[in-house]
Amino acid sequence: MDKKITLKTLRDMKGREKIVMVTAYDSLFASLFDEHVDVILIGDSLNMSFAGQDDTLSATMDQMIYHARAVGNGTKRSFLLFDMPFGTYGSKKQALKNAIKAYGQTKVDAVKLEGGKEKADIVKYLSQNAIAVFGHVGLKPQSARQEGGYSVKGKNEDEKRSIIEDALALETAGAVGLIIEGVKPDVASEITKKLKIPTIGIGAGVDCDGQVLVWSDMLGLYDNFLPKFVKRYIDGSGIVKDAIKQYAAEVKDVSFPNEKFTY
Ligand code: KIV
């Protein structure tokens, strides 16, 4: 399909065809992914895999906008989703100001924010102001410091009920899609059945309307830690290290550049 993926496309895919989402942070990789995926998420995970930080919390609006512009330059077809960084949507006014900044300075189609029922009024306010918003429930990486790390959610009845309530509150508030991260698959499955909007899972089982993975995890480039839900489709770090090792050796032993690579 060559046509630009819109919100309508994603809505129509629910229950018919799985939605493929991947993160990208730059034009080069986004252009490689564009033909094969439906949604590209400019995720604040870039703060870890690109900026070398321990968590996502220090990502800034300016940093996200820089990367979102690059991704926009490399893509034609995918729906582009902008991750609102930590501390940029604490109030309705602040959220709208920053979402308008993202819309104004990049080509993104929607913004994403982490949180459940406690963020419903903000999602509603953004929706009333023509911003398309994805929610993000379950494991919320921006809560890592508050929670003392990352843990799977929905393991007991209270947690399960609370996540389902979060999802329903966000849909009622006007969210157009929902990321469900790090939850037991039965919870994600129940949410997916209850909601009209598409759900995209990451570590949430197979029943969501789509799946998202962080690109550097799925290409085996990020070695720092490997969550159970990540499938490494290639050994990216091995391939890159082998290539750079060979290049270095050839420069040292003066076998590169040979005649073939010389004008
Ligand atoms: O920042 C990100 O990459 C994300 C995904 C984990 C969904 O939010």
Side-chain angles (χ1 to χ4, degrees), residues 21 23 25 41-46 56 64 83 112 114 136 141-142 179 181 200 202 212-215 229:
M21 184 188 292
T23 67
Y25 316 133
L41 168 66
I42 302 98
D44 61 359
S45 51
L46 63 83
T56 62
M64 295 302 297
D83 215 358
K112 168 170 95 61
E114 292 183 14
H136 183 149
Q142 292 178 9
I179 305 291
E181 177 165 1
I200 313 290
I202 174 162
V212 56
L213 282 177
V214 170
W215 78 275
F229 61 80

Coordinates of all heavy atoms in Angstrom, one line a residue, residues 21 23 25 41-46 56 64 83 112 114 136 141-142 179 181 200 202 212-215 229, ligand 1:
M21 N 3.8 -1.4 14.3 CA 4.4 -0.1 14.7 C 5.8 -0.5 15.1 O 6.1 -1.5 15.7 CB 3.6 0.4 15.9 CG 4.1 1.8 16.4 SD 3.4 2.4 18.0 CE 1.7 2.7 17.5
T23 N 9.6 1.9 16.5 CA 10.1 3.2 16.7 C 11.2 3.5 15.7 O 11.7 2.6 15.0 CB 10.8 3.3 18.1 OG1 12.0 2.5 18.1 CG2 9.9 2.9 19.3
Y25 N 14.1 7.0 15.1 CA 14.6 8.3 15.6 C 15.3 9.2 14.6 O 15.7 10.3 14.9 CB 15.5 8.1 16.8 CG 15.1 7.0 17.8 CD1 16.0 6.1 18.2 CD2 13.8 7.0 18.3 CE1 15.6 5.1 19.1 CE2 13.4 6.0 19.2 CZ 14.3 5.1 19.6 OH 13.9 4.1 20.5
L41 N 6.8 5.3 15.6 CA 6.7 6.0 16.9 C 8.1 6.7 17.1 O 9.1 6.0 17.2 CB 6.4 5.0 18.1 CG 6.6 5.5 19.5 CD1 5.6 6.7 19.8 CD2 6.5 4.4 20.5
I42 N 8.1 8.0 17.3 CA 9.3 8.7 17.7 C 9.2 8.6 19.2 O 8.6 9.4 19.9 CB 9.3 10.1 17.1 CG1 9.3 10.1 15.6 CG2 10.6 10.8 17.6 CD1 7.9 10.4 15.0
G43 N 9.8 7.5 19.8 CA 9.6 7.2 21.2 C 10.7 7.9 22.0 O 11.8 8.1 21.6
D44 N 10.3 8.2 23.3 CA 11.3 8.8 24.1 C 12.3 7.7 24.6 O 13.3 8.1 25.3 CB 10.7 9.6 25.3 CG 9.9 8.7 26.2 OD1 9.7 7.5 25.9 OD2 9.3 9.2 27.2
S45 N 12.1 6.5 24.2 CA 13.2 5.5 24.4 C 14.5 5.9 23.7 O 15.5 5.3 24.0 CB 12.7 4.1 23.8 OG 12.2 4.3 22.5
L46 N 14.4 6.8 22.8 CA 15.7 7.3 22.2 C 16.6 7.8 23.2 O 17.8 7.9 23.0 CB 15.4 8.3 21.1 CG 14.7 9.7 21.5 CD1 15.7 10.7 22.0 CD2 14.0 10.2 20.2
T56 N 14.1 7.1 30.4 CA 13.6 8.1 29.4 C 13.3 9.5 30.0 O 13.0 10.4 29.3 CB 12.2 7.6 28.8 OG1 11.3 7.5 29.9 CG2 12.4 6.2 28.2
M64 N 13.0 15.7 21.2 CA 12.0 14.9 20.5 C 11.6 15.5 19.1 O 11.4 14.8 18.1 CB 10.7 14.7 21.4 CG 10.9 14.0 22.6 SD 11.6 12.3 22.4 CE 10.3 11.6 21.5
D83 N 6.0 10.9 20.9 CA 6.0 10.6 22.3 C 6.2 11.9 23.1 O 7.3 12.5 23.0 CB 7.1 9.6 22.6 CG 6.7 8.6 23.7 OD1 5.6 8.7 24.2 OD2 7.6 7.8 24.0
K112 N 1.5 11.0 21.9 CA 1.2 9.9 22.8 C 1.7 10.4 24.2 O 2.7 11.0 24.4 CB 2.0 8.6 22.5 CG 2.1 7.6 23.6 CD 2.7 6.3 23.0 CE 4.1 6.1 23.3 NZ 4.5 6.1 24.7
E114 N 1.8 9.1 28.5 CA 1.7 8.0 29.4 C 0.7 8.3 30.6 O 0.7 9.4 31.1 CB 3.1 7.6 30.0 CG 4.0 7.0 29.0 CD 5.4 6.6 29.6 OE1 5.5 6.5 30.8 OE2 6.3 6.4 28.8
H136 N -1.2 5.5 26.9 CA -0.1 4.5 27.1 C -0.3 4.0 28.6 O -0.1 4.7 29.5 CB 1.3 5.1 27.0 CG 2.4 4.2 27.1 ND1 3.6 4.4 26.4 CD2 2.6 3.1 27.8 CE1 4.5 3.4 26.7 NE2 3.9 2.6 27.6
P141 N 7.1 3.6 31.3 CA 8.6 3.9 31.5 C 8.9 5.2 32.2 O 9.8 5.3 32.9 CB 9.2 3.8 30.1 CG 8.2 3.0 29.3 CD 6.9 3.3 29.9
Q142 N 8.0 6.2 32.0 CA 8.2 7.5 32.6 C 8.0 7.5 34.1 O 8.3 8.4 34.9 CB 7.4 8.6 32.0 CG 7.9 8.9 30.5 CD 7.0 9.9 29.8 OE1 6.2 10.6 30.4 NE2 7.2 10.1 28.5
I179 N -1.5 2.4 23.6 CA -0.3 1.5 23.8 C -0.5 0.8 25.1 O -0.8 1.4 26.1 CB 1.0 2.3 23.8 CG1 1.2 3.2 22.6 CG2 2.2 1.3 24.0 CD1 1.5 2.5 21.3
E181 N 1.6 -1.6 27.5 CA 2.9 -2.1 27.7 C 3.1 -3.0 29.0 O 2.5 -2.6 30.0 CB 3.9 -0.9 27.8 CG 5.3 -1.4 28.0 CD 6.4 -0.4 27.8 OE1 6.1 0.8 27.4 OE2 7.6 -0.7 28.0
I200 N -2.2 -1.2 20.8 CA -1.0 -1.7 20.3 C -0.2 -2.2 21.5 O 0.0 -1.4 22.4 CB -0.1 -0.5 19.6 CG1 -1.0 0.3 18.6 CG2 1.1 -1.0 18.9 CD1 -1.4 -0.3 17.4
I202 N 3.0 -4.0 23.6 CA 4.5 -4.2 23.7 C 4.7 -5.0 25.0 O 4.4 -4.5 26.1 CB 5.3 -2.9 23.6 CG1 6.8 -3.2 23.9 CG2 4.8 -1.8 24.5 CD1 7.8 -2.1 23.4
V212 N 4.2 -3.1 18.8 CA 5.3 -2.2 18.7 C 6.5 -2.7 19.3 O 6.5 -3.4 20.4 CB 4.9 -0.8 19.2 CG1 4.6 -0.8 20.7 CG2 6.1 0.2 19.0
L213 N 7.7 -2.5 18.7 CA 9.0 -2.8 19.3 C 9.9 -1.6 19.1 O 9.7 -0.9 18.1 CB 9.6 -4.1 18.6 CG 9.1 -5.4 19.1 CD1 9.7 -6.6 18.3 CD2 9.2 -5.7 20.6
V214 N 10.8 -1.5 20.0 CA 11.9 -0.4 19.8 C 12.9 -1.0 18.8 O 13.4 -2.1 18.9 CB 12.5 -0.2 21.2 CG1 13.8 0.7 21.0 CG2 11.6 0.4 22.2
W215 N 13.1 -0.1 17.8 CA 13.9 -0.6 16.6 C 15.2 -1.2 16.9 O 15.7 -2.2 16.4 CB 14.0 0.5 15.5 CG 15.0 1.5 15.8 CD1 14.8 2.6 16.6 CD2 16.4 1.5 15.3 NE1 16.0 3.3 16.6 CE2 17.0 2.7 15.9 CE3 17.1 0.7 14.5 CZ2 18.3 3.0 15.6 CZ3 18.5 1.0 14.3 CH2 19.0 2.2 14.8
F229 N 10.0 -9.8 26.2 CA 9.1 -9.7 25.0 C 9.9 -9.3 23.7 O 9.3 -9.3 22.6 CB 8.0 -8.7 25.3 CG 8.6 -7.3 25.6 CD1 8.9 -6.4 24.6 CD2 8.7 -6.8 26.9 CE1 9.4 -5.2 24.9 CE2 9.1 -5.6 27.2 CZ 9.5 -4.7 26.2
Ligands
KIV1 O1 9.4 5.4 23.8 C1 9.0 4.3 23.3 O2 9.7 3.7 22.5 C2 7.8 3.7 23.7 C3 7.5 2.3 23.4 C4 8.1 1.5 24.4 C5 6.0 2.1 23.3 O3 7.0 4.4 24.4

